[in-house]
Amino acid sequence: MDASDLLRNSLLQLSKQEKIRDVIEKAPVSRSVVKRFVPGAERADVVGAAAEIAASGRRATIDYLGEDTTDLAQAQHTRDAYVSLLTALRDEGLTEGGTVEVSLKLSALGQALPGDGNTIALDHAREICEVAKQAGTTVTLDMEDHTTTDLTLDALRELRADFPTVGAVLQAYLYRTEADCRDLAHAGSRVRLCKGAYKEPESVAFQAGAEVDKSYVRCLKILMQGEGYPMVASHDPRLIEIAGALAGQAGRDPRSFEYQMLYGIRPEEQKRIADRGDQMRVYIPYGQEWYGYLMRRMAEKPANVMFFLRGVATKS
């Protein structure tokens, strides 16, 4: 095991340690750091953050933190949280034209429940999509580990029958993703392309960072040349530059695709991209489950640790 694997595994273990969470949560310095990347645990916190993002010319997508729910009441609570959030965003005038949308994890909505988990999660997602539609915005289905990819894409097809603007997330580190991009590069489709956030086996995913980057570019080329709406989720300056070049080669209007970055990471670069006339959307997480989110983001790859540490020291 090399140093990066050791760091990743250590962070993933820390994400599960409630005692460590308690220590970090109570430390004054930690609270200020966490707030930089997760605006808060309550709905009012994230609505305020989304309003600030929108005022700066950026867009937003909001994730109510939590996944792998095995309790029906918790799944229902997550559904209700999204319904209340969308109502609050609409009342603040933030949803019109999709300025602020929401991102859903089907496992948080009950997909892992025994028996009818898939049906329960889909029904909950459908209720959220209906409220989003009434509010003038839409929904993107987050992707989780590879064992749920087909289930998530099946849910996407079902939801799009009634809510055609529902978006999907594809992960470039999976071998299958080029084919999935071809399937989804059609008119009306919205696809967020990210590198991938889960520790996947070599049997299904590229392991080397350079191979993941190459796959990302191949997938992005397919999406840019297609008729859908690509969403470029990356903080990598080189990939962002390549995305712009591919969009130019495909003759894309700046409004026909967007860049996406996480809340609190490279905010000045986010504003610069928006100010130059491109669309920039910020992924904003909120809720009580911030600790696991923070640790998992840092565990994605060692470079993310530096992203977060730089965030402590600078506002750029």
Side-chain angles (χ1 to χ4, degrees):
M1 181 181 292
D2 63 22
S4 62
D5 284 335
L6 181 61
L7 176 60
R8 182 184 303 111
N9 290 339
S10 297
L11 288 167
L12 288 172
Q13 287 300 316
L14 284 174
S15 73
K16 303 172 184 177
Q17 299 295 320
E18 290 299 318
K19 290 183 179 179
I20 301 296
R21 167 185 168 149
D22 290 342
V23 172
I24 293 175
E25 192 171 29
K26 292 174 182 176
V29 173
S30 295
R31 286 200 297 272
S32 65
V33 172
V34 171
K35 193 170 180 62
R36 174 72 188 275
F37 304 106
V38 182
E42 305 302 327
R43 182 174 63 245
D45 298 324
V46 76
V47 171
E52 290 183 13
I53 292 293
S56 71
R58 292 169 287 169
R59 294 173 167 249
T61 185
I62 298 176
D63 171 27
Y64 180 67
L65 292 170
E67 57 188 272
D68 297 328
T69 299
T70 56
D71 178 73
L72 177 58
Q74 180 59 38
Q76 293 169 334
H77 170 77
T78 298
R79 173 204 59 197
D80 294 344
Y82 275 107
V83 169
S84 298
L85 171 64
L86 284 162
T87 301
L89 291 169
R90 180 202 63 198
D91 291 347
E92 292 295 322
L94 294 170
T95 53
E96 186 174 352
T99 299
V100 181
E101 59 141 49
V102 296
S103 290
L104 312 178
K105 285 183 174 61
L106 292 175
S107 74
L109 295 173
Q111 188 181 59
L113 291 170
D116 297 330
N118 283 325
T119 300
I120 291 169
L122 184 59
D123 287 345
H124 287 165
R126 196 181 301 279
E127 292 179 63
I128 295 166
C129 287
E130 181 59 43
V131 176
K133 178 181 178 181
Q134 293 172 5
T137 191
T138 189
V139 166
T140 297
L141 298 183
D142 276 339
M143 195 61 76
E144 303 181 64
D145 72 77
H146 80 278
T147 64
T148 64
T149 300
D150 284 326
L151 290 173
T152 302
L153 293 178
D154 287 346
L156 174 72
R157 282 187 284 272
E158 291 204 41
L159 290 170
R160 281 182 55 84
D162 296 316
F163 308 99
T165 61
V166 172
V169 177
L170 295 177
Q171 301 172 109
Y173 66 178
L174 296 180
Y175 301 142
R176 61 174 290 168
T177 299
E178 280 187 72
D180 288 332
C181 284
R182 291 189 185 94
D183 289 343
L184 292 175
H186 55 76
S189 179
R190 296 169 57 249
V191 178
R192 177 195 301 157
L193 182 67
C194 66
K195 289 186 178 182
Y198 295 83
K199 179 64 176 174
E200 299 285 17
E202 190 173 358
S203 59
V204 301
F206 296 106
Q207 302 297 302
E211 291 303 315
V212 176
D213 286 353
K214 290 176 184 177
S215 176
Y216 193 100
V217 174
R218 292 194 300 269
C219 292
L220 192 55
K221 185 177 295 186
I222 293 168
L223 295 175
M224 288 294 186
Q225 291 176 348
E227 297 182 356
Y229 181 87
M231 300 180 282
V232 185
S234 178
H235 306 102
D236 187 329
R238 187 171 57 88
L239 290 179
I240 291 170
E241 184 177 351
I242 290 171
L246 290 174
Q249 291 170 12
R252 280 189 168 269
D253 185 282
R255 293 168 295 182
S256 70
F257 71 101
E258 67 183 42
Y259 298 93
Q260 295 191 355
M261 292 187 185
L262 296 173
Y263 182 80
I265 297 184
R266 304 190 73 200
E268 293 305 320
E269 177 65 5
Q270 294 176 16
K271 293 173 186 174
R272 187 186 73 81
I273 289 173
D275 289 345
R276 75 187 185 193
D278 287 319
Q279 296 194 105
M280 165 58 66
R281 191 178 300 272
V282 183
Y283 188 101
I284 313 177
Y286 85 105
Q288 296 290 342
E289 300 301 316
W290 61 265
Y291 174 73
Y293 166 84
L294 197 62
M295 290 299 175
R296 284 192 298 274
R297 285 299 179 186
M298 287 193 288
E300 287 175 23
K301 61 178 183 177
N304 281 2
V305 178
M306 293 309 300
F307 270 128
F308 282 92
L309 292 178
R310 288 192 194 105
V312 177
T314 179
K315 292 187 178 180
S316 63

